[in-house]
Amino acid sequence: MPAPAVPFPKPTPLQLRPFRAVRYDADRVGDPSELIAPPCDDLDPARVRELRRHPHHVARLLYADAPQGAARELGRWLRRGVLRRDERRALYVYQQQRGARILQRGLIGDLLLPHQAGKLLSHEDVSAHVVRQRAAHMSGLRAQLEPLLLAHRGTESTTAQLMHHVTRRKPVTVARIGQITHMLWVCDDPAELALLASGLSVGQALIADGHHRHAACLHLSGDAASPWASSLALLVDTATYPLRLSAIHRVLPALEPEKAARTAAEVARVLPLPGGPRPPEPGELILTGGGQAWSITDPDPRALSEALADRPNQWAQLPAAVSDHLLLRHAWSVPDLPGAVTYLHDIRQATAAVSAPGGGSALLLPVISQDTVWELAGAGVLLPRKSTSFGPKPTAGLAMRVLGLS
């Protein structure tokens, strides 16, 4: 007699748990707009130095050379009331808007990092060196100052309706950076938390930003009891609030553009652009420098196959793989060393950086679709580093997770 069929266990949803956030006390320090930090991708070293001059700016913790020293400074801020920890565990509704237009709305909480494969999808490769740096900083500071940005495609309306209800109340924090207003609401009512928990039936999420911080948590977490078995996270339902996806461009200060165009023509189709640089179309890269520009398309299949040896087959269709492996490494021999390549998210900044003669070259990349990112991540295929930029990213210092507080 055959044994009765054993049903497969139902996958458990991701757990975004309430926690007691540490926040700036506006009654003590004034407008938090002067103390929180934009995402690190938006800051250059000169701007970081400027922000760190303020005695209580979160940049003093976020960009500290010695994390143990930053931990002592964090402790002083807590003792002096610059920062305070909320009395009750809560989830936090976080919203970014420009004028009256809501750009993003999501929930900040403490995400239990899943061990089950396919629950939390990474879409981009990481640098082991950067992971070690992030892990050392987080471990020394014993705090997370900015959340992971997680995207999910929701089907439940309970969470969205409750979040809308919460945002009708007065926010606990309002801050403005540039043209963006950041608002935070505390949701600590047990009945509301129970509703949120029932509505958060998120079975899968994509790491939109924070791959190195996620990898650092995994590096630090020895077992389920470790404080790094979970992470500060912002969960955004992209069915309601779609994230913006943009490309990341390469600036090569030591690469002469005309020589780069000649060498690229050995492995791809290269055509001059008399009108100067423009945004690339799908399947195209734009090389520019010194006021000149070239279109690069149709990479040679044999050269591309050689450059992408031991890489997933899907990489042959990815702009960052063509740019970094076929051109930068294979054709141009650009070393993988600090300073050899600068990554810029703004196409105008990338073009302007090399506009003067002798200023080097820029390689402009087209954006790939979000469906492509989800499809490859679901198949376990990681994109090359610096392939995509999801946004708007959350700010640092608005709702922080600090370990070891009684």
Side-chain angles (χ1 to χ4, degrees):
M1 179 176 179
V6 178
F8 289 105
K10 184 179 180 180
T12 56
L14 292 172
Q15 296 182 47
L16 189 70
R17 306 176 301 186
F19 75 111
R20 293 172 62 191
V22 169
R23 301 185 288 111
Y24 280 104
D25 187 343
D27 293 335
R28 294 292 302 272
V29 297
D31 186 358
S33 304
E34 305 298 323
L35 303 171
I36 63 176
C40 60
D41 291 336
D42 296 344
L43 293 178
D44 57 35
R47 180 60 176 155
V48 169
R49 289 193 295 271
E50 179 184 343
L51 295 177
R52 282 176 53 85
R53 293 191 186 104
H54 192 293
H56 298 133
H57 200 285
V58 74
R60 297 177 66 88
L61 309 178
L62 195 62
Y63 301 98
D65 295 326
Q68 287 77 15
R72 290 191 291 271
E73 187 160 26
L74 173 60
R76 288 193 295 271
W77 293 1
L78 286 161
R79 290 191 297 273
R80 295 171 183 173
V82 172
L83 298 173
R84 65 175 179 83
R85 191 185 190 200
D86 286 340
E87 292 295 326
R88 297 199 291 178
R89 295 165 64 248
L91 292 173
Y92 298 82
V93 178
Y94 172 58
Q95 179 171 293
Q96 295 187 49
Q97 66 182 66
R98 180 187 289 117
R101 181 189 171 201
I102 298 174
L103 303 177
Q104 179 202 85
R105 180 186 290 169
L107 278 175
I108 294 177
D110 179 36
L111 180 80
L112 184 64
L113 297 177
H115 294 287
Q116 184 180 353
K119 302 287 289 180
L120 189 57
L121 301 177
S122 298
H123 77 271
E124 200 166 272
D125 201 1
V126 295
S127 161
H129 172 67
V130 176
V131 170
R132 289 192 295 269
Q133 285 183 325
R134 295 283 194 275
H137 182 270
M138 289 162 49
S139 178
L141 187 61
R142 289 190 60 78
Q144 290 178 290
L145 309 177
E146 53 186 332
L148 307 179
L149 175 59
L150 307 180
H152 78 99
R153 293 168 169 175
T155 58
E156 297 282 349
S157 61
T158 305
T159 301
Q161 291 173 359
L162 183 52
M163 287 170 60
H164 177 71
H165 173 74
V166 170
T167 58
R168 297 173 67 180
R169 304 197 290 249
K170 182 179 179 180
V172 295
T173 305
V174 178
R176 186 177 175 88
I177 299 179
Q179 298 180 341
I180 307 299
T181 300
H182 303 260
M183 289 177 282
L184 195 73
W185 291 264
V186 174
C187 185
D188 58 9
D189 178 83
E192 290 182 343
L193 289 175
L195 283 173
L196 284 176
S198 67
L200 269 179
S201 57
V202 180
Q204 188 179 71
L206 178 79
I207 302 176
D209 185 67
H211 284 85
H212 285 96
R213 284 172 279 134
H214 170 252
C217 282
L218 297 180
H219 177 79
L220 293 170
S221 62
D223 52 52
S226 167
W228 302 111
S230 63
S231 176
L232 185 66
L234 167 64
L235 188 63
V236 176
D237 180 357
T238 55
T240 307
Y241 297 101
L243 295 176
R244 184 185 67 248
L245 181 59
S246 58
I248 303 177
H249 311 290
R250 280 68 170 145
V251 174
L252 307 111
L255 184 65
E256 197 275 319
E258 290 187 353
K259 181 180 178 181
R262 289 194 302 271
T263 310
E266 299 174 4
V267 295
R269 184 171 184 242
V270 178
L271 296 175
L273 296 176
R278 56 168 173 74
E281 298 176 356
E284 178 185 48
L285 303 173
I286 299 294
L287 172 68
T288 182
Q292 301 182 80
W294 297 263
S295 167
I296 301 177
T297 59
D298 305 313
D300 177 72
R302 181 174 298 179
L304 185 60
S305 177
E306 181 181 342
L308 298 180
D310 302 323
R311 303 288 182 173
N313 293 333
Q314 296 92 330
W315 274 33
Q317 307 300 320
L318 298 177
V322 175
S323 71
D324 293 2
H325 293 266
L326 178 63
L327 295 177
L328 270 68
R329 308 285 181 264
H330 183 81
W332 297 336
S333 300
V334 176
D336 189 10
L337 296 173
V341 184
T342 301
Y343 301 94
L344 294 178
H345 297 70
D346 190 308
I347 194 170
R348 293 167 297 183
Q349 291 180 358
T351 303
V354 299
S355 59
S361 303
L363 195 59
L364 311 180
L365 275 63
V367 66
I368 63 176
S369 73
Q370 295 197 33
D371 286 342
T372 297
V373 174
W374 275 93
E375 179 183 346
L376 293 180
V381 176
L382 297 179
L383 296 145
R385 280 181 283 156
K386 301 293 184 181
S387 288
T388 60
S389 176
F390 279 94
K393 296 178 175 62
T395 187
L398 205 63
M400 296 171 276
R401 177 178 180 243
V402 178
L403 307 178
L405 296 181
S406 58

